[in-house]
Amino acid sequence: MIVSHLHEDHFDEVAMEHVPKHMPIICQPGDEAEIRGAGFTEVSPLTDIAIWEGLTLARREGSHGLGPVLEEMGSVMGFSLEAADEPSIYWAGDTVLYPPVADVIRATSPDILITHSCGALWNGDLIVMNAEETIAVCEIAASSLVIATHMEALDHATIGREDLRRAAEARGIPASRLLIPADGEVLVLTRSATH
């Protein structure tokens, strides 16, 4: 299990209660003590790159907003995943689009790019990507399949699935390039399906 940060919409009391305590957990540096304090025994901070059972994980920087809001939001991470005969994935996580995210996209050209795209605001500050930033990601990652998640799940979100779809279509981003899954929808993605 990968825990990008300790906000309750990512790792809550229900998860702490129901996830098996022996399950390997990868987290950002600094969160391991709190996760171990919840009784988990196999917790590893991801400082750079880790290899686990043929899966390569690379830590990616994220910014849960810009400016003063970062003091309240704290640090977060995204990550890249690669495995033989599987599509490469860059999960940006709870971040706005800022230069390090764009740099990762350009440097790694992932097959699949996953964004959190609900445009959530905290005290008026954007703390995850909105429609404009998600569309910009699609334009930067011209060869990637983009999957917009974290939609319609937060009371401080500013855009919904239909808002994002309309904005993307207005900019010429087809539904085949930007997937916006419904709650509970399962996506099965293979390397051949992403090219």
Side-chain angles (χ1 to χ4, degrees):
M1 183 168 78
I2 301 171
V3 177
S4 62
H5 62 300
L6 297 177
H7 288 174
E8 287 190 6
D9 59 325
H10 290 261
F11 194 59
D12 63 3
E13 290 183 12
V14 174
M16 290 181 201
E17 181 180 333
H18 292 288
V19 172
K21 299 300 185 196
H22 64 277
M23 177 175 284
I25 296 179
I26 294 174
C27 64
Q28 66 176 338
D31 288 351
E32 62 270 26
E34 190 168 338
I35 296 170
R36 284 187 187 116
F40 294 92
T41 58
E42 294 189 43
V43 182
S44 303
L46 182 60
T47 57
D48 187 25
I49 294 175
I51 298 174
W52 181 76
E53 295 190 11
L55 181 66
T56 301
L57 296 95
R59 183 179 193 278
R60 303 300 182 192
E61 296 302 317
S63 189
H64 211 340
L66 297 172
V69 73
L70 284 176
E71 288 183 34
E72 288 187 69
M73 293 295 104
S75 65
V76 297
M77 74 171 183
F79 54 87
S80 294
L81 299 170
E82 292 187 3
D85 301 319
E86 296 292 340
S88 60
I89 297 173
Y90 171 33
W91 180 78
D94 271 5
T95 187
V96 293
L97 178 59
Y98 75 129
V101 171
D103 292 346
V104 168
I105 296 168
R106 290 184 184 106
T108 65
S109 298
D111 296 315
I112 299 169
L113 205 155
I114 303 169
T115 60
H116 291 186
S117 299
C118 68
L121 299 176
W122 193 262
N123 296 329
D125 292 312
L126 187 66
I127 58 172
V128 298
M129 294 182 200
N130 58 15
E132 186 64 30
E133 291 188 352
T134 303
I135 291 165
V137 163
C138 292
E139 292 169 346
I140 295 166
S143 64
S144 301
L145 173 65
V146 178
I147 303 172
T149 65
H150 229 43
M151 303 292 297
E152 299 171 11
L154 305 170
D155 58 3
H156 54 290
T158 60
I159 63 165
R161 289 178 177 94
E162 288 303 315
D163 303 318
L164 179 57
R165 175 64 61 217
R166 280 193 300 273
E169 287 173 356
R171 288 277 284 278
I173 307 294
S176 61
R177 286 243 12 262
L178 174 61
L179 301 183
I180 308 171
D183 289 344
E185 183 176 351
V186 175
L187 302 177
V188 178
L189 304 167
T190 63
R191 182 176 281 282
S192 62
T194 61
H195 288 111

